[in-house]
């Protein structure tokens, strides 16, 4: 009985324990890692990934995924800067960008849910289309924006913490409540567990899947606007490979690729582990080529663990 409880405890809290051991080890062994400046830099570096991971979690939990988020981030940043430059209205620029993100997400959702096209093919196609729109809108070059109100979105400091970190924290709270306390969250997990059973139970499967992608698009666009504010321009080639980092963080955080299982706390820890490893490698001046190897190995290990868990549950 005691052994069973111990095994269950290890299974439930293995990821936070791994992060704590990793964090403590790096704090003791890597110079400047635990400094105030580096901790704020670490939080800021994972803020965009954290925002979008909150909604990618819902996609994965419903047995889907979205490869177009990196292109959406870039397009939203370019579009926002372009609209602000032409209208001198930050509100209009942000609003148009969020609407564009919603439209991209809605198209993904409708094609996947209604037309029954595979999520891989659909979002791979929109990834290319939206990236092309980013380059067309910008003329292939960065679109600078120097409006003070726009720059404040990514540079405001509140209680010594940058605003993007606060926005990411708010996303974790809001989507954590949606996952655990609302019908939307329960329906998402039900669809991922068994779509046909969910449909027979009265869940509007198609509408929920469309809504998941729509929200994904809006949050990706928000991340793009904030990124553009941080770097003071919309970059059409921004966020290349971003979708893989987000999916890696979610899978590392225990979100099942088979659907039906997800936790916001797990995603948070997954994001922090990915960011912590990246930050430590940068401080140690490890060549970027080796960093690719490390990130890929972490993703592969997370997928293998997910597969083992699924086999254990089926057994």
């Amino acid at each position: 009985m005691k052994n069973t409880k111990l095994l269950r405890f290890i299974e439930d809290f293995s990821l936070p324990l791994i992060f704590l051991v990793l964090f403590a080890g790096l704090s003791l062994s890597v110079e400047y890692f635990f400094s105030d400046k580096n901790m704020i830099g670490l939080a800021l570096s994972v803020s965009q990934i954290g925002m979008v991971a909150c909604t990618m979690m819902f996609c994965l939990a419903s047995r889907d995924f979205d490869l177009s988020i990196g292109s959406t981030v870039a397009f939203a940043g370019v579009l926002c800067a372009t609209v602000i430059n032409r209208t001198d209205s930050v509100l209009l620029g942000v609003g148009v960008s969020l609407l564009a993100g919603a439209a991209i997400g809605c198209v993904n959702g409708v094609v996947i849910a209604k037309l029954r096209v595979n999520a891989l093919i659909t979002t791979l196609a929109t990834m290319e289309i939206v990236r092309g729109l980013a380059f067309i809108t910008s003329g292939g070059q960065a679109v600078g924006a120097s409006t003070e109100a726009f720059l404040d979105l990514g540079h405001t400091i509140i209680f010594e913490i940058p605003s993007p970190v606060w926005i990411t924290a708010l996303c974790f709270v809001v989507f954590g409540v949606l996952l655990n306390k609302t019908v939307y969250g329960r329906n998402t997990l039900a669809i991922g567990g068994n779509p046909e059973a969910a449909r027979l139970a009265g869940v509007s499967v198609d509408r929920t899947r469309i809504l998941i992608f729509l929200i994904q698009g809006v949050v990706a666009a928000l991340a793009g606007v904030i990124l553009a504010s941080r770097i003071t321009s919309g970059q059409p080639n921004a966020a290349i490979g971003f979708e893989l980092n987000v999916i890696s963080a979610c899978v590392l955080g225990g979100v099942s690729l088979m659907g039906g299982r997800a936790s916001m706390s797990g995603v948070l820890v997954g994001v922090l582990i990915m960011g912590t490893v990246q930050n430590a490698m940068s401080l140690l001046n490890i060549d970027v080529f080796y960093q690719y190897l490390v990130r890929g190995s972490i993703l592969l290990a997370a997928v293998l663990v997910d597969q083992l868990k699924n086999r254990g549950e089926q057994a």
Side-chain angles (χ1 to χ4, degrees), residues 70-99:
S71 298
T72 303
V73 167
F75 178 56
V78 166
L79 184 61
C80 186
T82 301
V83 172
I84 290 173
N85 288 340
R86 293 183 179 179
T87 65
D88 202 32
S89 171
V90 174
L91 184 61
L92 184 61
V94 173
V96 169
S97 298
L98 295 183
L99 284 174

Side-chain angles (χ1 to χ4, degrees), residues 70-71 74 131 135 236-243 245:
S71 298
R131 182 69 67 175
F135 278 101
N237 59 351
I240 293 176
F242 180 79
E243 56 281 341
N245 290 331

Side-chain angles (χ1 to χ4, degrees), residues 22 26-27 29-33 38 42 45 245 272-299:
L22 174 66
L26 292 175
S27 299
S29 61
V30 178
E31 191 176 9
Y32 305 122
F33 176 79
N38 189 59
L42 171 61
S45 68
N245 290 331
L272 290 175
I273 289 177
M274 292 293 292
T276 299
V277 170
Q278 180 72 43
N279 180 268
M281 288 191 294
S282 297
L283 288 175
L284 292 170
N285 292 318
I286 294 176
D287 193 283
V288 67
F289 305 122
Y290 293 103
Q291 293 184 26
Y292 283 120
L293 289 176
V294 172
R295 290 202 300 268
S297 299
I298 291 174
L299 175 59

